[in-house]
């Protein structure tokens, strides 16, 4: 599903962009879709940060010990 939006710009801007062969509709659509993706990504990152707020950090040396135990178990 899609919707229609309209944007008012100066006539000379539109004419110049068209003169250079720029597809204004396509460029505006792509810009808004990229902006949407950035906004959603930021939203996800913020929700992950909120989830991780209360998670305690691993104790010092945990990674080293964990890797060593894993290697030795094989």
């Amino acid at each position: 599903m899609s919707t229609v939006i309209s944007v008012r710009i100066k006539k000379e801007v539109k004419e110049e962009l068209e003169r250079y062969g720029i597809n204004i509709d396509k460029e505006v659509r792509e810009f808004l879709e990229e902006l949407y993706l950035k906004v959603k990504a930021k939203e996800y990152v913020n929700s992950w940060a909120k989830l991780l707020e209360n998670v305690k950090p691993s104790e010092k040396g945990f990674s080293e010990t964990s890797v060593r135990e894993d290697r030795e178990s094989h």
Side-chain angles (χ1 to χ4, degrees):
M1 189 159 83
S2 63
T3 187
V4 176
I5 63 169
S6 65
V7 177
R8 192 172 291 274
I9 61 171
K10 293 180 182 176
K11 185 176 181 179
E12 64 260 18
V13 171
K14 179 181 183 276
E15 290 171 352
E16 280 294 304
L17 292 173
E18 288 175 341
R19 187 169 75 85
Y20 285 104
I22 295 173
N23 183 336
I24 298 169
D25 293 337
K26 177 181 170 265
E27 294 297 329
V28 170
R29 189 178 314 107
E30 286 177 0
F31 173 80
L32 292 175
E33 288 172 355
E34 287 177 26
L35 181 60
Y36 166 76
L37 292 174
K38 289 177 184 177
V39 168
K40 291 304 285 182
K42 187 173 183 177
E43 182 179 295
Y44 285 127
V45 168
N46 289 339
S47 69
W48 296 332
K50 187 170 179 143
L51 283 172
L52 295 173
E53 264 178 10
N54 300 322
V55 175
K56 296 178 186 175
S58 300
E59 57 190 53
K60 188 173 181 175
F62 171 78
S63 297
E64 183 179 322
T65 305
S66 180
V67 170
R68 185 174 292 117
E69 287 175 359
D70 187 50
R71 286 182 182 162
E72 291 173 357
S73 70
H74 286 57

